[in-house]
Amino acid sequence: MSNPNTQALSDAGVSIWLDDLSRERISSGTLKALIDEMNVVGVTTNPSIFASALQDGRSYEAQVNQLAADGADVDTAVFAITTADVAEACDLFSGLATDTDGVDGRVSIEVDPRLARDTRGTVAEAKHLHKAVGRTNAFIKIPATTEGLEAITETLAAGISVNVTLIFSLQRYREVINAFMLGLEQAKENGKDLASLHSVASFFVSRVDSEIDKRLDAVGTEEATALKGKAGVANAQLAYQIYEEQFATERWQVLAASGARPQRPLWASTGVKNPDYPDTLYVTELVANNVVNTMPEKTLEAVADHGKIEGDRVTGSYREANKVLDQIAKVGISYNEVVELLEDEGLEKFVTSWQQLRETVQTALDQAPGARKA
C-alpha cells in the first residue's frame, strides 16, 4: 500500500526519485520498500553518496578485496565499484522502466567532475560509463557548464540518455534545452531511435535560497528580510515556464513527430537548508505535471509524514515569481552574480566530493587483505 502523500504527489504528475544509493540499500531490500511504499521510481547518485556508502557498509569488501588483489589503481576501483552499484540498481528498476516506456525506472551516474570544463573528456567518459553499466535505463550525469553543453549534445547524438546536472540560472537552462534539441537533431541524422532517448534537466533549488538569503540578511532591511526563502521556488517556477514555452515550439514539434520525448525538469537540492522553513517546502511548492523531484531520504520521509500535496503549484505562478526576482534585484542583489557563483561553488563541491571518494576507496584498497604491497 502506497503512502497517501507520496501517492498524491505521483498522481499530480511528479516522479519521485531518491537522492541516495548504496549496495547495502539494494541488498537489504530498503530501496525496494521505498519503491513499493513511497512511490519511488528512480535514483540519483553522486560521489558523496558513494563515499558515505563505502564508509558505512560492509557490502563492498569482497569487490574491494578482489580489486586490491588485482592491483587496481584508485580510479579503476572507483569506476568498477560505482558502475556495479548503478547496474544493480538499474536491474531493480527495470520493471518500472518497462512499464513507463523508459520514462522512469532511471538510475543516474555522474561523469568524473574533474572533466566538467573538458568537452572531449566528458564525452569520452560518458561513453565509457554507458558501456560499462550496460543498462538502457541508466542516465549519464553531465554538469551544465559552458563546456558541458557541447558534451550534452554529442552524448545524446551518440544515442546515450543524459541527466543534465548543476543548473542554477534561467539563461543556462535555455541553453541546456537548446543543447538537448540539437543532440536529438544530430541523433536523428545519425539514425538513432529518438523514442529511446531520454533526458532530465536538474535545476538546483535550495542552494539558491541559501546564497540569496545570506545576501538579504546583509542588506538587513525589512523589505529584504521579507524576501527570504522565496528565491529558490520562484526560480524553479520560472524554469518550468521556460520548459512549457520551449517544448511548444515548431522546432520541438518536428522532433516530437519523429518520436522524441521532452526533456523533463528535475528539481534537485530539495532538502531544506534553513530549519526555519517547512521541511517539505521544495516539494509541495513545486508540484507540476511531468517533473521529477529527487529527494534525500529525510525529505522523502517528511513528505510521507506530513506533506500537503495541493496539486499544481507552478503553472499560473509566473507573474508572482518574476515579481520576487525583481524585488530581490531592487534591494541590490545581482541574480547573475549569484547563479555564476553557485555554478562555480557547485563544481568545486563536486570535485571535492570526488576526491573524498577516491581517498575512501584508496584507504579501502590499502587495508584489503589481498592488497599488493609495494
Side-chain angles (χ1 to χ4, degrees):
M1 180 74 69
S2 294
N3 175 276
N5 294 341
T6 58
Q7 184 63 54
L9 193 59
S10 179
D11 291 343
V14 178
S15 291
I16 300 170
W17 291 5
L18 180 70
D19 193 21
D20 190 34
L21 181 65
S22 70
R23 199 163 296 179
E24 180 72 21
R25 187 181 281 283
I26 297 169
S27 61
S28 67
T30 58
L31 181 55
K32 181 64 166 61
L34 292 176
I35 294 170
D36 294 339
E37 299 167 13
M38 291 195 185
N39 300 84
V40 169
V41 294
V43 163
T44 52
T45 65
N46 61 50
S48 294
I49 288 170
F50 282 123
S52 177
L54 277 156
Q55 289 170 340
D56 297 340
R58 299 175 63 87
S59 301
Y60 298 91
E61 284 184 1
Q63 186 180 16
V64 169
N65 290 348
Q66 185 60 56
L67 287 163
D70 292 343
D73 63 30
V74 65
D75 290 313
T76 299
V78 166
F79 189 91
I81 290 166
T82 56
T83 54
D85 273 9
V86 169
E88 191 171 355
C90 282
D91 290 343
L92 180 61
F93 279 103
S94 62
L96 270 166
T98 299
D99 291 345
T100 61
D101 202 17
V103 173
D104 283 314
R106 290 278 169 179
V107 184
S108 297
I109 186 167
E110 188 169 335
V111 168
D112 183 338
R114 294 174 298 178
L115 298 169
R117 302 292 188 191
D118 177 358
T119 300
R120 302 269 66 78
T122 294
V123 173
E125 181 75 354
K127 292 178 178 178
H128 191 198
L129 285 168
H130 173 71
K131 184 177 180 180
V133 174
R135 304 295 190 276
T136 58
N137 56 326
F139 264 142
I140 307 303
K141 287 176 77 173
I142 298 176
T145 58
T146 301
E147 298 83 356
L149 294 171
E150 185 179 346
I152 290 158
T153 294
E154 289 194 29
T155 301
L156 286 161
I160 299 171
S161 295
V162 174
N163 175 344
V164 182
T165 189
L166 208 68
I167 307 170
F168 294 99
S169 83
L170 298 172
Q171 177 57 32
R172 183 54 53 84
Y173 180 43
R174 290 187 182 93
E175 294 168 355
V176 165
I177 294 174
N178 178 64
F180 165 72
M181 291 192 190
L182 187 58
L184 293 191
E185 288 160 352
Q186 293 180 9
K188 183 179 177 180
E189 291 175 5
N190 294 338
K192 304 297 182 183
D193 176 17
L194 297 192
S196 68
L197 275 172
H198 295 261
S199 184
V200 293
S202 299
F203 210 86
F204 281 51
V205 185
S206 67
R207 294 187 195 178
V208 174
D209 272 338
S210 296
E211 180 61 31
I212 288 182
D213 282 2
K214 180 171 66 177
R215 295 176 183 227
L216 290 169
D217 281 335
V219 173
T221 64
E222 185 175 333
E223 181 185 10
T225 301
L227 292 167
K228 289 181 63 177
K230 294 183 178 181
V233 167
N235 200 39
Q237 288 169 332
L238 293 174
Y240 192 82
Q241 182 183 30
I242 292 169
Y243 160 75
E244 288 190 308
E245 292 170 350
Q246 293 301 309
F247 288 95
T249 60
E250 183 178 349
R251 181 187 186 188
W252 174 249
Q253 296 306 321
V254 170
L255 286 166
S258 297
R261 303 164 185 270
Q263 180 186 58
R264 291 192 293 169
L266 180 152
W267 311 135
S269 184
T270 58
V272 172
K273 305 290 192 294
N274 188 332
D276 294 335
Y277 299 158
D279 53 4
T280 61
L281 175 66
Y282 303 124
V283 179
T284 58
E285 294 304 307
L286 291 176
V287 176
N289 187 49
N290 209 33
V291 302
V292 179
N293 194 308
T294 180
M295 310 176 206
E297 189 170 22
K298 184 178 179 182
T299 302
L300 177 61
E301 289 174 345
V303 171
D305 181 65
H306 53 265
K308 293 183 179 180
I309 310 304
E310 299 175 335
D312 187 340
R313 304 282 290 175
V314 177
T315 57
S317 68
Y318 309 138
R319 179 176 294 183
E320 185 60 31
N322 270 308
K323 184 179 176 182
V324 167
L325 295 191
D326 287 345
Q327 289 173 329
I328 288 169
K330 285 178 182 177
V331 299
I333 294 172
S334 168
Y335 175 87
N336 289 336
E337 184 180 302
V338 167
V339 294
E340 288 172 13
L341 175 67
L342 288 172
E343 181 179 302
D344 290 341
E345 287 184 346
L347 276 179
E348 185 178 333
K349 289 176 182 176
F350 277 6
V351 171
T352 298
S353 295
W354 191 265
Q355 297 289 35
Q356 290 171 345
L357 172 60
R358 294 178 77 252
E359 290 168 9
T360 300
V361 171
Q362 186 65 66
T363 298
L365 289 171
D366 292 343
Q367 295 175 350
R372 294 182 182 178
K373 305 301 180 185

